[in-house]
Amino acid sequence: MVRRIYLDHAAGRPVDTRVLKAMTPYAKLRLGNPSSVHSTGQEARQAIEQARTRISKMINAKEGELITFTSGATESNNMAIKGVAYRHKNRGAHIITSSIEHMSVLNPCKFLMTKGFKVTFLPVDQYGFVNLESLKRELTNDTILVSIMYANGEIGTIQPIKEISQIVHGTDAYLHVDATAANGQIPIDVGKENIDLLTISSNDLYGPQGVGALYARRGSRLEPLVHGGGQERGLRSGTENLSGIVGFGKAAELVSEEMSTESERLRKLRDKLIEGLLHPIPYSFLNGHSANRLPNNAAVRFSFIEGESLLLDLDMHGVAASSGSACTAKTLEPSHVMGAIGLKHEEAHGSLLFTLGKRNTEEEVNYVIQIMPNIVKRLREMSPLTPSELRKTVQRESDGPLQKPT
Ligand code: PMP
């Protein structure tokens, strides 16, 4: 039987068994509606408030500041962006975001453009860092919102959020940060970093899928997108996803206790994997920045081959990886992130994304390092993209690595 090694944690994570255990009574036995007056309902209410407290602690939100539960990061991003836009349209109609945001930020912004808002998409450099000078230049009295992701899951780059926050808070604009990819891997402190609105998601913390939250600093004014019975202080009506929220809260508690140790372990595995791929394989490169990157992210690219064929070959060897964001995987086109960091179409096509997780071991990383050089070599021999002079070298030097171009 082929062994299975899961290295696609950016696309989805297994639910931690301790989280499942915490959720089970709420899914099975205590089916109270948190809005009911009877004691079963009140128990459900308490469980939700406990989850809110645990999540607040994880991101160092002050007691009383709002954590609103949603169906996930996509809804939280929509709630923040459209919520600020609709509520503050009389004050201004300009939004700034970056060109490497997730589609759940880019598409609400594009939608708002059809409603009369002006949106600036800031460029990023070759590593994916937002250009801070452009941010300063683009902010005007009309700007009501700046939305920048904490870290990009496809290339791993972590933004200088504190510096961004200082720039934005020199104006009246709100700062929204999509921390979906970063939360659970690096410390986030909404107080110290002066973040107004923060998107987080449960599954990225090994909690259940389909639940997320939006943190909103006390005093933030958002227009609700979902109207109904007035749950979540009127910001997001609808009966709460009780067991999901309890699981999210438990996952947040585990992050607070275990993240620093686990992230350190992952950083070592990540660096071993990156070095083990780039060193022996010629014409291989790192996507994103070498130091300011997510602890679990090894995003690389190989010239002359297609990421899709690499994925299939790896799958036959029992390894699950990705060519980029799972959300755009169906298109086969390289993602907008690759274009934004300046990669040509053919360069972007050879991208491969490994995202490590809790259960991955050094032995698994060693296995990937061991099988990759031959997979790449074989695909290059078959690839029409491999230059003919190099193809000869590939065949001649079949026992040894090619020299990297200088
Ligand atoms: N933002 C970022 C940065 C993401 O990586 C993702 C995907 N995990 C999302 C938003 C959307 O998450 P979901 O599909 O769970 O709503």
Side-chain angles (χ1 to χ4, degrees), residues 69-97:
F69 289 112
T70 64
S71 63
T74 296
E75 187 187 334
S76 300
N77 285 340
N78 274 268
M79 183 185 273
I81 294 166
K82 293 183 204 157
V84 168
Y86 293 155
R87 183 66 184 245
H88 299 278
K89 60 179 186 295
N90 293 335
R91 189 159 64 77
H94 180 222
I95 294 168
I96 298 179
T97 187

Side-chain angles (χ1 to χ4, degrees), residues 275-285 301-302 305 368-369 371-374 376-377 380 401-402 404:
E275 171 65 16
L277 294 174
L278 298 192
H279 184 69
I281 303 178
Y283 299 94
S284 61
F285 308 91
R301 62 179 196 277
F302 304 99
I305 40 181
V368 176
I369 292 171
I371 61 172
M372 274 301 283
N374 277 335
V376 172
K377 187 160 78 62
R380 279 181 178 162
L402 293 172
K404 284 199 182 209

Side-chain angles (χ1 to χ4, degrees), residues 81-366:
I81 294 166
K82 293 183 204 157
V84 168
Y86 293 155
R87 183 66 184 245
H88 299 278
K89 60 179 186 295
N90 293 335
R91 189 159 64 77
H94 180 222
I95 294 168
I96 298 179
T97 187
S98 89
S99 48
I100 59 164
E101 299 299 310
H102 189 263
M103 286 302 171
S104 56
V105 167
L106 293 178
N107 283 339
C109 286
K110 286 179 187 162
F111 168 77
L112 288 171
M113 287 166 78
T114 69
K115 304 284 172 214
F117 288 85
K118 183 175 167 251
V119 180
T120 303
F121 298 91
L122 294 176
V124 295
D125 68 12
Q126 60 177 317
Y127 302 112
F129 291 121
V130 167
N131 187 318
L132 300 185
E133 290 310 311
S134 313
L135 172 60
K136 284 183 199 157
R137 238 186 354 258
E138 297 292 344
L139 275 163
T140 69
N141 288 339
D142 202 40
T143 312
I144 48 172
L145 175 71
V146 176
S147 179
I148 304 286
M149 69 199 330
Y150 210 112
N152 184 291
E154 263 179 76
I155 55 173
T157 302
I158 302 169
Q159 300 295 338
I161 289 297
K162 217 166 173 188
E163 285 170 72
I164 290 171
S165 164
Q166 274 164 4
I167 296 169
V168 174
H169 289 116
T171 74
D172 287 336
Y174 281 89
L175 174 63
H176 167 240
V177 175
D178 176 2
T180 310
N183 190 213
Q185 294 204 59
I186 51 175
I188 292 176
D189 187 322
V190 290
K192 276 202 198 123
E193 290 162 320
N194 206 357
I195 293 168
D196 300 311
L197 302 157
L198 187 92
T199 290
I200 51 177
S201 157
S202 153
N203 186 239
D204 292 81
L205 316 179
Y206 300 90
Q209 291 185 324
V211 54
L214 182 73
Y215 157 83
R217 178 205 298 281
R218 197 200 310 268
S220 308
R221 301 265 174 270
L222 299 182
E223 194 66 30
L225 304 186
V226 180
H227 299 93
Q231 289 90 341
E232 295 295 277
R233 300 171 183 85
L235 201 51
R236 205 278 193 172
S237 287
T239 302
E240 295 88 340
N241 171 2
L242 177 59
S243 62
I245 289 171
V246 167
F248 188 8
K250 181 68 189 173
E253 185 188 55
L254 294 173
V255 162
S256 302
E257 290 164 6
E258 298 172 359
M259 185 182 69
S260 59
T261 317
E262 175 60 5
S263 289
E264 206 34 54
R265 187 186 80 88
L266 287 179
R267 252 182 224 111
K268 289 198 186 106
L269 286 186
R270 172 200 72 186
D271 290 344
K272 180 164 197 185
L273 180 56
I274 291 174
E275 171 65 16
L277 294 174
L278 298 192
H279 184 69
I281 303 178
Y283 299 94
S284 61
F285 308 91
L286 183 68
N287 285 341
H289 194 263
S290 58
N292 287 340
R293 70 182 303 122
L294 291 173
N296 80 332
N297 181 294
V300 291
R301 62 179 196 277
F302 304 99
S303 305
F304 320 126
I305 40 181
E306 303 270 331
E308 296 304 315
S309 44
L310 277 167
L311 286 185
L312 292 175
D313 221 318
L314 276 170
D315 193 43
M316 283 191 299
H317 284 82
V319 179
S322 145
S323 59
S325 167
C327 317
T328 44
K330 282 188 239 55
T331 65
L332 276 186
E333 278 301 297
S335 86
H336 62 286
V337 177
M338 300 298 163
I341 60 171
L343 293 185
K344 292 195 212 96
H345 207 265
E346 60 274 20
E347 292 173 308
H349 259 305
S351 289
L352 193 60
L353 174 61
F354 295 104
T355 41
L356 297 150
K358 262 185 199 177
R359 294 187 195 159
N360 291 132
T361 62
E362 187 168 2
E363 197 226 332
E364 291 178 331
V365 167
N366 288 339

